[in-house]
């Protein structure tokens, strides 16, 4: 585990990390309790009914949510920065109304037209971006008036309470930290992400023109108690993620 100041050389941290264990992630994440019984239900619930909508899945990974959105009747445009993940997403979504391509959240989304999306989902991908303001601005550009943005991230206070993430950093600073993840087999993948104060997330959202509609610190679904009782109890005591819905 480590913590160090954020720096421009860290722009591709998600690509480096997930490229190293993409197939193992894809095999575990559909049923892994933190994903399937905690974050994903909360985020998709905020998104609501997507039938007949144009939806962007930003940072789609191996296409788990992409497939769910398409099978729920959405026309989906999905992108991710990791080629290995994109290969898996294309296999998972073969035959569905989905366009999948490589794209970096840290750069302009040039292939997506302005006012072209009814909804945008960004599930656990923004933690790998150092500066959120340009991302929120691009999301605002591509959303139609009245369109929704739903995103999830690591809970800033959960990370702050973890000495591995905090180190000697000031809460009000953005810092990059990493650790070896369990739950995805061996060797344990080393994953870095950015920790930042809550005000930077919400103010960056507002500065880009979004209106906060719903802020959720999710609880695990009931089925998690049998699947993973230790984390079920932990997450009922202290949240690991935040889930946010905003409206243009």
């Amino acid at each position: 585990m480590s913590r160090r100041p954020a720096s421009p050389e860290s722009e591709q941290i998600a690509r480096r990390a997930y490229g190293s264990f993409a197939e193992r992630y894809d095999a575990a994440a559909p049923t892994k309790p933190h994903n399937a019984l905690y974050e994903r239900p909360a985020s998709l619930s905020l998104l609501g009914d997507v039938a007949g909508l144009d939806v962007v899945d930003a940072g789609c990974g191996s296409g788990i949510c992409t497939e769910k959105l398409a099978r729920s009747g959405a026309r989906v445009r999905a992108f991710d920065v990791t080629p290995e993940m994109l290969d898996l997403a294309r296999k998972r979504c073969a035959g569905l109304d989905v366009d999948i391509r490589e794209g970096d959240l840290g750069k302009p989304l040039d292939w997506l037209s302005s006012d072209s999306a009814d909804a945008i989902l960004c599930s656990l991908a923004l933690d790998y971006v150092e500066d959120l303001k340009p991302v929120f601005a691009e999301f605002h550009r591509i959303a139609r008036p009245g369109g929704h943005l739903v995103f999830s991230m690591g809970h800033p206070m959960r990370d702050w309470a973890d000495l591995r993430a905090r180190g000697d950093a000031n809460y009000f600073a953005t810092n990059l930290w990493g650790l070896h993840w369990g739950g995805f087999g061996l060797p344990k993948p080393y994953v870095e992400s950015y920790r930042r104060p809550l005000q930077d997330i919400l103010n960056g959202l507002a500065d880009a023109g979004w209106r906060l509609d719903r802020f959720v610190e999710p609880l695990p679904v009931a089925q998690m108690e049998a699947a993973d009782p230790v984390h079920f109890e932990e997450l009922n005591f202290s949240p690991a993620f935040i889930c946010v819905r905003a409206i243009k």
Side-chain angles (χ1 to χ4, degrees):
M1 63 192 72
S2 66
R3 188 204 61 77
R4 58 190 175 90
S7 64
E9 69 187 27
S10 303
E11 292 177 356
Q12 297 293 322
I13 57 174
R15 184 170 186 164
R16 289 200 304 268
Y18 284 95
S20 69
F21 73 113
E23 290 192 1
R24 286 188 283 145
Y25 174 90
D26 184 60
T31 57
K32 191 172 185 291
H34 268 79
N35 301 103
L37 303 176
Y38 183 55
E39 180 275 329
R40 197 179 303 134
S43 293
L44 292 177
S45 177
L46 285 178
L47 200 62
D49 184 7
V50 296
L53 300 184
D54 293 307
V55 181
V56 172
D57 188 0
C60 66
S62 62
I64 297 167
C65 287
T66 310
E67 180 190 18
K68 289 182 178 295
L69 294 170
R71 293 193 184 281
S72 296
R75 296 176 294 274
V76 187
R77 289 167 292 173
F79 68 90
D80 198 89
V81 74
T82 307
E84 294 86 349
M85 286 291 207
L86 291 172
D87 289 342
L88 293 165
R90 291 186 180 103
K91 291 177 183 176
R92 172 173 276 113
C93 298
L96 299 176
D97 191 1
V98 175
D99 174 61
I100 299 174
R101 65 178 66 197
E102 186 172 329
D104 188 342
L105 282 167
K107 298 178 181 178
L109 309 177
D110 294 333
W111 71 96
L112 295 172
S113 302
S114 298
D115 301 327
S116 64
D118 296 303
I120 302 164
L121 174 66
C122 190
S123 173
L124 299 181
L126 292 175
D127 293 301
Y128 307 108
V129 181
E130 183 173 0
D131 187 359
L132 296 181
K133 289 183 179 180
V135 188
F136 287 145
E138 274 294 88
F139 286 167
H140 193 269
R141 178 186 65 80
I142 67 176
R144 293 183 175 123
H148 290 64
L149 166 64
V150 171
F151 66 89
S152 56
M153 300 179 67
H155 196 298
M157 289 307 298
R158 171 63 174 267
D159 289 343
W160 182 246
D162 189 331
L163 290 175
R164 299 171 299 177
R166 187 174 76 203
D168 58 358
N170 188 299
Y171 170 81
F172 297 101
T174 295
N175 63 88
L176 181 67
W177 73 292
L179 78 166
H180 290 91
W181 279 6
F184 294 100
L186 298 174
K188 289 184 177 180
Y190 182 73
V191 181
E192 292 180 299
S193 60
Y194 291 101
R195 193 222 60 82
R196 73 199 85 218
L198 180 61
Q199 66 178 6
D200 284 4
I201 300 170
L202 298 184
N203 289 336
L205 188 69
D207 289 346
W210 290 99
R211 175 173 63 84
L212 177 65
D213 182 58
R214 197 73 177 167
F215 180 90
V216 174
E217 294 166 305
L219 292 169
V221 301
Q223 295 93 315
M224 189 173 177
E225 184 172 16
D228 188 344
V230 172
H231 286 117
F232 178 80
E233 182 177 353
E234 178 183 300
L235 293 169
N236 270 287
F237 180 79
S238 175
F241 300 128
I242 60 172
C243 299
V244 178
R245 182 173 66 208
I247 300 175
K248 179 175 177 177

